[in-house]
Amino acid sequence: MPVLGILLLLAGSAVATAAVFGVARAVPLEKRKANNDAMGFVYAQVGVIYAVVLAMVVVGVWETRSQAHENTYTETNALLQIAWYSRTLPQPDRGRLGALVEEYTGRVIDDEWPLMAGQRDDPVAWRQFTEMRETINTLEPVTSADEVRYEGALDAVAQLGDARRERVNEAATAGVPTLLWIALLMGALVTIGFVYLFGMESLRAHAGVVFSLTFTVGVMLLIVYEFNYPFSGALKVGPTAFQLALERIQVVT
């Protein structure tokens, strides 16, 4: 997690903890203790509901990032299969297809990946992919062995197209909706705010409970924020799969 996020979280937790002492002065302990039983029942219901919703969101954004990460390897595996297929072709098809695979991979790393952080894609990379697909589609296998390899190349370019579209869609549409963000923040305020209404004999213990709860909820929200978009932020999915694939492609072609 970014250092700035942790520092802001600590500062917010400290402010929330300091408010405990203000509430203690404004509302006598006896009045707050009188409502402990009723408030405890209500707080248990509110806490459980918020915990379930927050946990579901955290799991959801984590799964989205994991799928995006795995999809990059699906795409690069298809690229490597096409690169290997290009070695079986005669010139000039071998050189043309091999160059397209290498250019596309490099374009994704250098140009498209920074664009995905802003939820965009690179039209040049789309054209390179289209040219790669058209090049394979126009090939005419001669022998039965050529036909087997050609079928594998068709499957690989179809897999490449599917993985590319999924990656672009993940970059453009992933993220927690604004309405859900509002619900998460409002739920955090209610969940933490309820703790101020309890009466505890030890003011220090009360302050410790508030700090711990605020920090824990804040950490979970920070995780959601960092995983909100899989291709941006401190915990973004990087182009590692494409970088590794490019090294191998340059050897193959």
Side-chain angles (χ1 to χ4, degrees):
M1 292 183 189
V3 176
L4 180 60
I6 294 296
L7 292 177
L8 291 175
L9 187 55
L10 288 172
S13 300
V15 172
T17 303
V20 173
F21 298 92
V23 173
R25 290 183 180 181
V27 183
L29 176 62
E30 291 73 17
K31 290 185 177 181
R32 287 181 282 120
K33 287 181 63 176
N35 298 318
N36 276 0
D37 292 339
M39 293 301 301
F41 176 78
V42 175
Y43 183 73
Q45 303 302 316
V46 172
V48 168
I49 293 173
Y50 184 69
V52 170
V53 173
L54 183 57
M56 290 177 61
V57 175
V58 170
V59 171
V61 294
W62 170 258
E63 289 182 347
T64 298
R65 184 193 181 280
S66 297
Q67 291 173 0
H69 180 263
E70 293 174 4
N71 187 58
T72 61
Y73 285 91
T74 300
E75 187 173 353
T76 53
N77 286 340
L79 283 169
L80 286 169
Q81 291 180 39
I82 296 172
W84 278 107
Y85 173 69
S86 69
R87 287 175 58 90
T88 67
L89 300 174
Q91 295 293 359
D93 292 332
R94 172 176 177 172
R96 181 187 178 192
L97 183 57
L100 282 172
V101 174
E102 184 173 344
E103 290 170 4
Y104 171 81
T105 308
R107 183 78 187 187
V108 170
I109 295 171
D110 297 331
D111 298 279
E112 188 163 52
W113 218 265
L115 291 175
M116 289 195 302
Q119 300 178 277
R120 295 179 295 158
D121 57 85
D122 182 21
V124 175
W126 274 114
R127 288 196 295 270
Q128 290 173 335
F129 162 72
T130 301
E131 187 176 355
M132 195 188 314
R133 182 181 59 187
E134 291 177 348
T135 298
I136 294 176
N137 288 338
T138 56
L139 295 175
E140 296 182 0
V142 178
T143 66
S144 57
D146 290 341
E147 291 180 358
V148 172
R149 289 190 291 267
Y150 182 66
E151 289 297 327
L154 290 176
D155 291 339
V157 77
Q159 179 182 341
L160 174 62
D162 292 340
R164 173 174 174 78
R165 282 187 291 272
E166 184 175 349
R167 172 170 58 82
V168 170
N169 289 337
E170 286 169 343
T173 63
V176 177
T178 303
L179 185 60
L180 185 53
W181 267 119
I182 294 174
L184 290 175
L185 294 176
M186 292 296 295
L189 291 175
V190 172
T191 302
I192 297 170
F194 256 97
V195 183
Y196 291 101
L197 303 178
F198 287 94
M200 299 178 63
E201 293 291 345
S202 174
L203 192 56
R204 291 184 178 180
H206 197 173
V209 169
V210 171
F211 181 86
S212 300
L213 180 61
T214 304
F215 188 77
T216 301
V217 172
V219 167
M220 301 301 287
L221 291 176
L222 184 59
I223 290 174
V224 174
Y225 177 78
E226 291 297 334
F227 285 142
N228 193 25
Y229 295 104
F231 297 102
S232 62
L235 303 177
K236 65 183 178 182
V237 176
T240 306
F242 286 87
Q243 292 168 342
L244 294 174
L246 182 59
E247 293 177 3
R248 188 57 182 162
I249 289 169
Q250 289 173 338
V251 174
V252 171
T253 57

